[in-house]
């Protein structure tokens, strides 16, 4: 089925559309051109086209297309058989796209204007990270905040804060060159540079900027050549007083396989963690999004979503999008039972589980990327010692296991080793935050221990 056929099935459910209009006009429309970001539809006659092009109807149509494609499409209409109009419409849309591409290339920021400080919801979980980000945006290049290193689990708003910094700097300092990129894009561009041997172009792109923002720096791990190139770029910018902003899913000292020169420089800047949103912040975020779409729901529904969408902000965004689709197709007041049904594959009340030594070892293994066998082995590398210590700490804290049993679980180590590991974690704020992240990410707070 074409995009239009799928969109039409959505429109058939839309109670706002008159059935006569649906049957006599919309169902007679055909697709004559689909391209990246725009679609041309043909109507039988002038009258049909005038109805379809009416602003409200066009909004319904574009909304249905967005629902089935999950991205915005610009819709144009022509009369059946009018090839000249089709050509004109297609050329016009291509010009708009090309103009947008040229603008993006000339600015080379890669920023989205959707991310600003004004639409970032501040709560206790992110208050300090937001304040540090505003400070950097207002006065980029300050030694105390350079680099700014934001870390935390995926979907907590790190990218939003990073791009908000870039957008404000572009607004307040129009002469400064700002570029945002992901670590994956940086890596791919460097690989292409190796093939083309055009190192000057690559280095001019990233070293002749005033603000460089790199998302998900943890993906540098295991890529020695790219690490070396990024280190030299980092040094060049910092020594020139340029601002660097970095995000990661871990604190710098837990990027155990990354070049120590980089981790030490990250720690020398301003490091700030972004915590999962608490209930009040989740509710504020959801209310903000629903109000933007003029959607009203009961407090019972709000509380249900916010009590169960606890992992990250993307869960809340997804729930909001599903509610928006429901309201687009129905004038009914949504009931809690309907929300539970609509979101049952997306969010659901957590079920209590029994915590076991095996479960704890598994989650620690996943968090640090260190196998369980290696944690139990005699390997004493920094990354293995860190994972082993945290696992021992969690076995003691969550299960109250005896010291000698923990030692036996780790291949026959004595109780003094366990005590040292427990004390190491207890006295290290970064490792304690890791413990909390591991518990939160897998819902251990709600487990029956």
């Amino acid at each position: 089925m074409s995009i239009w056929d799928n969109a039409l099935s959505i429109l058939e459910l839309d109670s706002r559309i008159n059935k006569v209009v649906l049957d006599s006009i919309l169902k007679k429309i055909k697709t004559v051109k689909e391209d990246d970001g725009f679609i041309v539809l043909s109507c039988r006659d002038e009258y049909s086209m005038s109805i379809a092009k009416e602003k409200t109807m066009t909004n319904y149509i574009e909304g249905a297309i967005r629902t089935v494609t999950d991205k915005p499409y610009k819709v144009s209409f022509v009369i059946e058989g009018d090839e000249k109009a089709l050509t004109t419409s297609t050329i016009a849309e291509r010009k708009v796209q090309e103009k947008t591409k040229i603008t993006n290339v000339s600015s080379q920021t890669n920023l989205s204007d959707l991310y600003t400080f004004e639409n970032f919801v501040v709560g206790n979980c992110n208050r300090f990270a937001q304040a540090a980000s505003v400070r950097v945006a207002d006065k980029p290049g300050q030694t105390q905040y350079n680099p700014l290193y934001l870390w935390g689990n995926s979907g907590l708003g790190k990218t939003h804060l990073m791009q908000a910094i870039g957008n404000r700097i572009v607004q307040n300092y129009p002469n400064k060159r700002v570029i945002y990129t992901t670590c994956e894009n940086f890596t791919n561009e460097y690989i292409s540079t190796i093939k083309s041997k055009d190192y000057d172009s690559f280095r001019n792109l990233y070293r002749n900027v005033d603000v460089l923002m790199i998302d998900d720096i943890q993906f540098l791990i295991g890529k020695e050549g790219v690490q070396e190139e990024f280190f030299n770029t980092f040094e060049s910018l910092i020594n020139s007083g340029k601002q660097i902003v970095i995000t990661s899913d871990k604190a710098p000292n837990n990027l155990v396989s990354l070049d120590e020169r980089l981790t030490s420089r990250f720690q020398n800047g301003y490091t700030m963690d972004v915590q999962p949103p608490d209930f009040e912040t989740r509710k504020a975020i959801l209310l903000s999004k629903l109000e933007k779409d003029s959607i009203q729901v009961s407090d019972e529904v709000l509380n249900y979503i916010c009590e169960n969408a606890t992992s990250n902000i993307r869960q809340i965004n997804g729930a909001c999008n599903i509610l928006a689709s429901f309201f687009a197709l129905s004038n009914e007041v949504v009931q809690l039972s309907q929300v539970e049904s609509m979101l049952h594959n997306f969010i659901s009340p957590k079920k209590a589980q029994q915590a076991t030594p095996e479960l704890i070892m598994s989650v620690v293994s996943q968090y640090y990327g260190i196998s369980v066998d290696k944690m139990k082995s005699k390997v004493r590398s920094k990354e293995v010692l860190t994972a082993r210590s945290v696992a021992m700490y969690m076995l003691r804290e969550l299960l109250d296991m005896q010291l000698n049993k923990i030692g036996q679980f780790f291949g026959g180590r004595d109780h003094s080793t366990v005590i040292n590991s427990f004390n190491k974690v207890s006295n290290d704020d970064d490792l304690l935050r890791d413990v909390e992240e591991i518990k939160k990410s897998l819902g251990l707070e709600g487990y029956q221990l």
Side-chain angles (χ1 to χ4, degrees):
M1 293 178 70
S2 68
I3 292 175
W4 172 243
D5 290 331
N6 287 318
L8 192 58
S9 66
I10 298 293
L11 293 170
E12 288 176 336
L13 302 174
D14 195 332
S15 60
R16 298 170 298 179
I17 298 177
N18 182 282
K19 191 175 188 306
V20 174
V21 172
L22 178 69
D23 292 336
S24 63
I25 295 178
L26 298 186
K27 287 187 177 181
K28 306 298 182 182
I29 289 176
K30 298 178 182 178
T31 303
V32 291
K33 184 72 175 179
E34 287 181 11
D35 212 324
D36 185 25
F38 72 92
I39 183 170
V40 181
L41 303 175
S42 68
C43 304
R44 288 189 305 166
D45 49 45
E46 290 278 0
Y47 175 74
S48 298
M49 188 166 73
S50 68
I51 296 296
K53 290 180 70 173
E54 194 272 326
K55 183 177 180 181
T56 301
M57 184 60 68
T58 299
N59 288 340
Y60 293 162
I61 291 172
E62 290 183 345
I65 291 174
R66 183 163 190 164
T67 298
V68 299
T69 62
D70 199 31
K71 67 178 184 178
Y73 267 73
K74 177 66 177 175
V75 178
S76 297
F77 299 94
V78 297
I79 297 176
E80 283 184 21
D82 191 342
E83 295 298 330
K84 183 177 179 181
L86 169 61
T87 303
T88 302
S89 179
T90 304
I91 292 173
E93 291 299 336
R94 288 194 181 281
K95 284 184 177 179
V96 170
Q97 288 186 335
E98 289 302 318
K99 184 177 180 181
T100 302
K101 290 178 181 178
I102 291 170
T103 301
N104 289 339
V105 170
S106 63
S107 61
Q108 291 194 6
T109 65
N110 299 323
L111 294 169
S112 168
D113 57 10
L114 296 176
Y115 300 114
T116 67
F117 289 119
E118 287 70 27
N119 62 18
F120 183 83
V121 178
V122 181
N124 292 330
C125 57
N126 56 33
R127 189 178 308 280
F128 294 110
Q130 188 266 357
S133 299
V134 170
R135 183 71 177 269
V136 167
D138 290 342
K139 295 183 178 180
Q142 294 182 96
T143 302
Q144 180 186 0
Y145 291 85
N146 205 11
L148 174 64
Y149 185 101
L150 303 172
W151 67 276
N153 285 343
S154 177
L156 299 183
K158 303 185 300 297
T159 297
H160 189 139
L161 284 175
M162 172 181 274
Q163 293 214 33
I165 292 171
N167 281 319
R168 180 166 290 188
I169 291 174
V170 168
Q171 179 182 359
N172 294 341
Y173 302 91
N175 293 326
K176 287 189 180 294
R177 295 187 62 195
V178 178
I179 188 167
Y180 161 85
T181 190
T182 64
C183 187
E184 182 180 11
N185 285 340
F186 184 90
T187 300
N188 290 337
E189 288 174 7
Y190 183 66
I191 292 172
S192 297
T193 297
I194 293 174
K195 293 179 180 178
S196 66
K197 302 188 184 302
D198 188 10
Y199 293 96
D200 288 342
S201 295
F202 178 83
R203 288 164 184 166
N204 286 336
L205 174 62
Y206 286 108
R207 299 187 191 183
N208 292 325
V209 296
D210 298 291
V211 183
L212 175 62
M213 297 178 288
I214 302 280
D215 221 346
D216 292 324
I217 201 68
Q218 70 272 9
F219 289 116
L220 281 183
I221 292 174
K223 304 176 179 71
E224 287 78 10
V226 187
Q227 288 184 41
E228 183 66 29
E229 184 64 30
F230 179 73
F231 173 78
N232 292 329
T233 298
F234 183 98
E235 289 289 278
S236 174
L237 293 174
I238 289 291
N239 292 335
S240 301
K242 309 302 183 182
Q243 179 70 52
I244 297 177
V245 183
I246 295 167
T247 71
S248 176
D249 63 352
K250 292 183 178 66
N253 62 319
N254 288 328
L255 297 172
V256 290
S257 298
L258 195 66
D259 190 327
E260 289 188 4
R261 296 177 301 170
L262 284 172
T263 55
S264 66
R265 281 160 176 76
F266 296 163
Q267 293 177 82
N268 196 46
Y270 196 84
T271 302
M272 184 58 61
D273 64 323
V274 182
Q275 294 291 327
D278 53 29
F279 177 83
E280 290 76 14
T281 306
R282 295 197 297 273
K283 193 167 184 178
I285 292 170
L286 182 57
L287 279 170
S288 174
K289 293 182 178 298
L290 292 176
E291 288 173 1
K292 184 178 178 182
D293 292 330
S294 299
I295 297 173
Q296 293 184 343
V297 298
S298 68
D299 211 47
E300 183 182 33
V301 169
L302 286 173
N303 289 339
Y304 173 80
I305 295 173
C306 295
E307 285 169 359
N308 295 295
T310 59
S311 298
N312 55 55
I313 297 168
R314 289 174 188 156
Q315 276 189 307
I316 297 174
N317 290 339
C320 187
N321 290 338
I322 292 172
L323 285 177
S325 296
F326 174 85
F327 273 87
L329 301 174
S330 171
N331 290 322
E332 300 176 17
V333 175
V334 65
Q335 303 297 322
L336 178 59
S337 59
Q338 292 173 305
V339 172
E340 291 174 342
S341 177
M342 285 188 289
L343 303 182
H344 78 280
N345 288 326
F346 194 73
I347 60 171
S348 59
K350 291 182 173 58
K351 297 179 180 179
Q353 300 183 45
Q354 183 66 40
T356 63
E358 290 75 19
L359 175 63
I360 292 172
M361 292 292 288
S362 175
V363 298
V364 173
S365 170
Q366 292 176 27
Y367 185 81
Y368 288 107
I370 303 295
S371 70
V372 172
D373 288 342
K374 189 167 285 188
M375 281 192 279
K376 291 184 176 183
S377 72
K378 294 183 179 180
V379 175
R380 294 185 55 81
S381 62
K382 179 182 176 181
E383 56 268 28
V384 173
L385 284 173
T386 296
R388 184 184 296 145
S389 296
V390 168
M392 288 182 172
Y393 176 91
M394 293 184 71
L395 290 175
R396 179 67 172 173
E397 183 199 40
L398 298 180
L399 301 182
D400 198 26
M401 283 181 66
Q402 296 179 359
L403 298 177
N404 62 331
K405 287 189 175 181
I406 295 176
Q408 292 172 9
F409 194 72
F410 279 87
R413 288 176 167 81
D414 59 38
H415 72 284
S416 62
T417 300
V418 180
I419 292 174
N420 289 336
S421 295
F422 188 88
N423 291 337
K424 173 184 176 182
V425 177
S426 300
N427 296 316
D428 190 315
D429 290 340
D430 289 331
L431 292 182
L432 287 174
R433 277 194 289 267
D434 277 3
V435 170
E436 292 305 312
E437 289 301 316
I438 293 169
K439 289 161 62 178
K440 289 177 182 177
S441 65
L442 289 147
L444 285 176
E445 292 175 319
Y447 284 6
Q448 294 175 343
L449 300 179

